Each structure stands twice: as structure tokens, then as C-alpha cells.
């Protein structure tokens, strides 16, 4: 099978790494990829959102299966363009991807179909939004409706912070159109978890539950980032809770989309808050999580190609079940100094080969570039160092040992990935 992966981050590196192990694979491309992905797949110099050129490429190279990484590509309608030309692609079409690309759409769907989530209201008018937050008071959450690269949510502790967020989004339009409409939502309290399934629009195959670490600094302090680390499985989502999330969130959402005439093919990612009243949805994504994918795929023993292929073909109900390793996997993100604010790129990365040679360790590149025999930093999140072990403690020990051998100027990372889970008993998937 000839496969094309679209995207350029650590998630896509993990996808090509896993896909490359498939006996069904005959050729693997990635567009545009990065410095690390180029060692596993042939890089294609096309932007992840250049729908027309990607469609032509897939057609000219007889690609059998295209796997879309980023949400921006889905929101641009790549799946629609591919399907129009009869090209097989893993991901939802533009209309179904609204589950991620419009928070108002997702919240209204949840309300209509009684899927547990925080109470909310949607506003197109700043004056009305201000009146609403004054009425409810803080803490309160203000969210831009559209895609903002994970930066469109403000959890306001005070009324003035909430009013300031409305100004930034709706008056100053810092995210342009994406923030012209806002969702204002009750602040939920609890532990967060990511629950990701592969779906063909009818059936859902759950992957291991995982946990991201969104804040920059240890102890969940500092600004929100694209994710500073992750681990799987997350013991907080035990077998009973997994069933409850499937029954109360995942399957009702897939049915709701279908009732609305939308086929949710690809990934359904539920970002959950585990509240005292049970799991509630914070957000839906219509693609693999980043960096969750980097810790889920190393634990997947069975082949990824047939799973994605069966989702595209609508035959997940008869698909072979996923087989998982019994241990745990942890990921530490190495970021450029200054990230998520301003940072410099072009710093030489040392120690990569040595780190990757360690047992059960993989180094996925998130923002790097090959420059002859050197690898340079080329983004805010640079590397995802990943290690597996028979339990989380061992995985963490291995991952931090591997991290200690890697260097670049300004390198920064969290030292407490997985710390919360170590306090809990292990979970069997
Ligand atoms: P989102 O953009 O919806 O993915 O939210 C980003 C992050 O903001 C989440 O991972 C949570 O940490 C936080 N967040 C979002 N919505 C809420 C909420 N209703 N209550 C508390 N925290 C929230
Ligand atoms: N890890 C958060 C996300 O993928 O959106």
C-alpha cells in the first residue's frame, strides 16, 4: 500500500514511524514533514494546507491511503477534494470537521443530544457577551469559536480578565474571524484526560486513554502551550470510566453527527474534564492528539494500516481488535527557550543518535530541519522524546535518561511529566 501522511509535527513523525512498520506498506510519503520524518518517509515539498497540489500529488503517485494530521488541513476541505477524485483518505470532510473547527457547533450539538459538557452561551455581539459574564461572574471561560492553534481559550479567574478576553477576541480581533464569535462557558473543575477513538462514522475503536500536560512549567504553572508532554495509559480513566465515556460521550456523538447527516470518519478526540459529576467534554478534535499520539502508538502492537483502512472503508465493526503492550509510554517535549512566546530557531541539536539508540526510546521531531549532517531547531516545540517501560515509573526513568543526553541552546522542558499518575494504581486496558 502506498501511503501519504500530511503534516510536519511530532504527531506526524509518530504516525510515519508506526506506519513504516506495517508489512502492508510499499511506499511512504510525508508532506511537508520535517528533519526527523525524512529519515522514515520520503518528504514532499507541499504545504499541509495546499489542497489542490496535495490532491494532484496523491493522484499522480497512485496513493492508496492518505492520513491527515492537522486540523487546518481538514478545515480547508482536503477530504472533500480527495473524495471528489476518488482518492481514499482518513479524516472527516469539512462539514464533519466543524466538530473541531467551530466550538459553537460542537457545544450546540452536545446540548441538542444531551452529551455531558459545561453550560454555555454563544455570542456574536461583544456587548451581549459582556452582559452575560457580568451576570455570571468569574471564574468563567471565554473561547474563540474558530481554530486558533490551541490559543483561543481563556480560563478567566476574574471578571476583568473575562472582559479583557472578550475585547481581545471580538474588538481587537487578535485571531481575526476565528474570534468574532465566542462561546462563554462555565468553569469546570477536575482532572483532564484525552480519550481518542478511530471511527468510521458508525463504530468506534478506542485507543488508550492518555493525559497531556498543557502548561509550560512544572506543577501545571505558566502559560498554555501546544503540549509539553504526555503519557498513556492514563490510570485515572479506568476500565469503568472508559465504558462510561464510550456510552455517554463517544457513541452518542457519532450517532448525533450521523443524525445531522454528517459522517464522522477518522478520529474523534474528546478532551474531558473528570468532574465530581462525571466526565464532561471540554472540546472535541477531529484528528489525532499531539502529543498524545506520540505515547499511544508505541504501545500499539497491532498494525495501524488495517485499522485506518477499515475506518475509511466503513468496516470497523468487523475489524481485528487493537492489541496493546501491557506497559506505559511517556513523552517529554523539548522546547526552544522563550516558547510559547518568541524564540530563536537554527540551533544545532546534539546527542540525537545516542538517545535514539537507548532501548525502548524513540525521538520524534516536532520542529527540526536537516542541514547537511546537522539537525537544527526549527520551531517552538522541537523534539518529543518518548520511552516505553513495563510501567510508568520505568518509562519515565528511561525518557528522562534519554533527555539528559540531548542538548541545544535554550532547551527547556518539564521535569514532572506523569508525576500525578505515579500516585495512582496502574490500569489494565
Ligand atoms: P480548549 O481550547 O477547549 O481545548 O481548552 C484548552 C484548555 O482550557 C483545556 O485543556 C482546559 O485546561 C481549559 N478549559 C477549557 N474549557 C474549560 C472549562 N469549561 N473549564 C475549565 N477549564 C477549561
Ligand atoms: N493535545 C491537545 C491537542 O491535540 O489538541
Amino acid at each position: 500500500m502506498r501511503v501519504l501522511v500530511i503534516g510536519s509535527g511530532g504527531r506526524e513523525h509518530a504516525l510515519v514511524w508506526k506506519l513504516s512498520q506495517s508489512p502492508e506498506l510499499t511506499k511512504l510519503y510525508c508532506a511537508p514533514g520535517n528533519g526527523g520524518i525524512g529519515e522514515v518517509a520520503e518528504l514532499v515539498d507541499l504545504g499541509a494546507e495546499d489542497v489542490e497540489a496535495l490532491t494532484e500529488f496523491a493522484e499522480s503517485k497512485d496513493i492508496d491511503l492518505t492520513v491527515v494530521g492537522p486540523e487546518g488541513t481538514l478545515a480547508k476541505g482536503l477530504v472533500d477534494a480527495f473524495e471528489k477524485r476518488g482518492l481514499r483518505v482518513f479524516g472527516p470532510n469539512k462539514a464533519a470537521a466543524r466538530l473541531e473547527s467551530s466550538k459553537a457547533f460542537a457545544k450546540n450539538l452536545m446540548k441538542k443530544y444531551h452529551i455531558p459538557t459545561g453550560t454555555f452561551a454563544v455570542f456574536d455581539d461583544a456587548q451581549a457577551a459582556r452582559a452575560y459574564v457580568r451576570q455570571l461572574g468569574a471564574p468563567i471561560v471565554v473561547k474563540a469559536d474558530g481554530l486558533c492553534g490551541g490559543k483561543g481559550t481563556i480560563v478567566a479567574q476574574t471578571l476583568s480578565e473575562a472582559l479583557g478576553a472578550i475585547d481581545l477576541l471580538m474588538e481587537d480581533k487578535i485571531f481575526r474571524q476565528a474570534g468574532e464569535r465566542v462561546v462563554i462557558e462555565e468553569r469546570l473543575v477536575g482532572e483532564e484526560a484525552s480519550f481518542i477513538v478511530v471511527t468510521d462514522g458508525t463504530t468506534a475503536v478506542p485507543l488508550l486513554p492518555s493525559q497531556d500536560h498543557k502548561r509550560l512549567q512544572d506543577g501545571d504553572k505558566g502559560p498554555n502551550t501546544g503540549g509539553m508532554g504526555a503519557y498513556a495509559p492514563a490510570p485515572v480513566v479506568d476500565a469503568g470510566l472508559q465504558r462510561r465515556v464510550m456510552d455517554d460521550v463517544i457513541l452518542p456523538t457519532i450517532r448525533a453527527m450521523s443524525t445531522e447527516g454528517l459522517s464522522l470518519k477518522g478520529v474523534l478526540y474528546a478532551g474531558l474534564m473528570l468532574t465530581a459529576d462525571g466526565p464532561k467534554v471540554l472540546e472535541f478534535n477531529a484528528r489525532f492528539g499531539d502529543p498524545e499520539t506520540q505515547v499511544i502508538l508505541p504501545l500499539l502492537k497491532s498494525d495501524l494500516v488495517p485499522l485506518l483502512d477499515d475506518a475509511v472503508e466503513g468496516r470497523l465493526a468487523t475489524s481485528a481488535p487493537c492489541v496493546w503492550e501491557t506497559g506505559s509510554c511517556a513523552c517529554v517535549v523539548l522546547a526552544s527557550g522563550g516558547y510559547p512566546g518568541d524564540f530563536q530557531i537554527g540551533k544545532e541539536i546534539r546527542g540525537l543518535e545516542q538517545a535514539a539508540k537507548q532501548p525502548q526510546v524513540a525521538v520524534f521531531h516536532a520542529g527540526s530541519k536537516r542541514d547537511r549532517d546537522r539537525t537544527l531547531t526549527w520551531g517552538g516545540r522541537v523534539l518529543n522524546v518518548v520511552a516505553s517501560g513495563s510501567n510508568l515509573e520505568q518509562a519515565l526513568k528511561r525518557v528522562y535518561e534519554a533527555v539528559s543526553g540531548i542538548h541545544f541552546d535554550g532547551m527547556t522542558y518539564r521535569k514532572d511529566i506523569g508525576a500525578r499518575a505515579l500516585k495512582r494504581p496502574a490500569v489494565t486496558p
Side-chain angles (χ1 to χ4, degrees), residues 329-350:
C329 186
C331 167
V332 175
V333 173
L334 308 185
S336 299
Y339 172 81
D342 293 339
F343 54 83
Q344 292 182 334
I345 58 171
K347 311 283 183 196
E348 184 171 356
I349 307 170
R350 295 178 196 276

Side-chain angles (χ1 to χ4, degrees), residues 13-356:
H13 195 173
L15 281 165
V16 299
W17 172 84
K18 180 66 186 166
L19 291 167
S20 71
Q21 296 163 20
S22 172
E24 298 203 20
L25 194 84
T26 53
K27 180 75 193 176
L28 185 57
Y29 292 99
C30 186
N34 65 34
I37 294 175
E39 288 175 18
V40 199
E42 185 175 329
L43 299 186
V44 184
D45 190 17
L46 294 174
E49 295 188 11
D50 192 346
V51 171
E52 217 178 292
L54 289 165
T55 315
E56 272 164 29
F57 175 82
E59 205 161 40
S60 70
K61 296 287 182 190
D62 287 325
I63 300 295
D64 299 302
L65 175 68
T66 297
V67 183
V68 182
E71 60 274 21
T73 305
L74 299 170
K76 275 260 156 81
L78 179 128
V79 171
D80 308 63
F82 269 51
E83 286 180 343
K84 216 185 258 172
R85 302 259 197 114
L87 293 163
R88 300 172 69 256
V89 54
F90 177 83
N93 61 22
K94 187 173 177 172
R98 286 179 74 212
L99 199 55
E100 171 165 9
S101 65
S102 168
K103 291 200 188 285
F105 171 84
K107 294 291 289 189
N108 283 324
L109 186 94
M110 286 187 265
K111 187 174 172 186
K112 183 168 171 189
Y113 292 92
H114 311 289
I115 294 155
T117 190
T119 55
F120 71 101
V122 179
F123 296 94
D124 290 300
D125 173 60
Q127 197 68 18
R130 285 189 204 100
Y132 185 74
V133 302
R134 283 204 184 91
Q135 186 194 329
L136 265 74
I140 197 158
V141 184
V142 181
K143 297 183 178 186
D145 176 52
L147 295 178
C148 303
K151 297 188 199 106
T153 291
I154 298 102
V155 182
Q157 301 301 335
T158 63
L159 188 59
S160 73
E161 228 181 300
L163 294 170
I166 293 169
D167 281 349
L168 285 174
L169 294 174
M170 302 185 85
E171 308 281 10
D172 304 344
K173 300 192 197 296
I174 58 163
F175 295 119
R176 284 181 267 182
Q177 265 179 316
E180 281 178 356
R181 171 175 290 170
V182 298
V183 172
I184 298 187
E185 192 176 302
E186 107 183 80
R187 202 269 307 252
L188 298 171
V189 180
E191 194 167 336
E192 283 183 52
S194 307
F195 198 90
I196 301 174
V197 305
V198 170
T199 177
D200 57 8
T202 312
T203 305
V205 174
L207 306 183
L208 292 179
S210 56
Q211 224 169 19
D212 187 3
H213 296 61
K214 288 206 168 84
R215 301 294 199 100
L216 180 70
Q217 290 154 11
D218 288 5
D220 292 327
K221 301 211 169 63
N224 259 321
T225 69
M228 293 303 290
Y231 63 90
V236 64
V237 188
D238 61 17
L241 192 51
Q242 286 184 45
R243 268 194 301 277
R244 185 166 175 191
V245 173
M246 284 297 283
D247 292 345
D248 296 355
V249 175
I250 300 293
L251 295 171
T253 301
I254 293 168
R255 279 196 297 270
M257 290 290 278
S258 166
T259 307
E260 296 290 318
L262 299 165
S263 164
L264 193 58
K265 177 175 53 96
V267 166
L268 174 58
Y269 165 134
L272 301 171
M273 187 71 93
L274 307 175
T275 74
D277 298 333
K280 294 192 179 178
V281 177
L282 290 174
E283 62 160 349
F284 282 129
N285 295 323
R287 40 82 194 165
F288 285 108
D290 188 348
E292 290 93 332
T293 305
Q294 291 88 309
V295 291
I296 292 172
L297 293 184
L299 295 172
L300 181 63
K301 262 206 229 173
S302 45
D303 194 353
L304 183 60
V305 169
L307 178 68
L308 304 187
D309 203 43
D310 287 348
V312 173
E313 288 301 318
R315 54 172 185 235
L316 277 181
T318 56
S319 197
C322 288
V323 183
W324 298 100
E325 303 280 356
T326 48
S328 291
C329 186
C331 167
V332 175
V333 173
L334 308 185
S336 299
Y339 172 81
D342 293 339
F343 54 83
Q344 292 182 334
I345 58 171
K347 311 283 183 196
E348 184 171 356
I349 307 170
R350 295 178 196 276
L352 278 173
E353 275 177 26
Q354 204 49 37

Side-chain angles (χ1 to χ4, degrees), residues 395-422:
L396 288 167
K397 190 165 173 284
R398 284 190 177 139
V399 82
Y400 279 111
E401 259 169 38
V403 165
S404 70
I406 300 175
H407 299 282
F408 54 85
D409 276 356
M411 179 173 115
T412 155
Y413 61 93
R414 272 181 70 158
K415 320 273 184 305
D416 68 340
I417 300 303
R420 198 189 300 213
L422 284 184

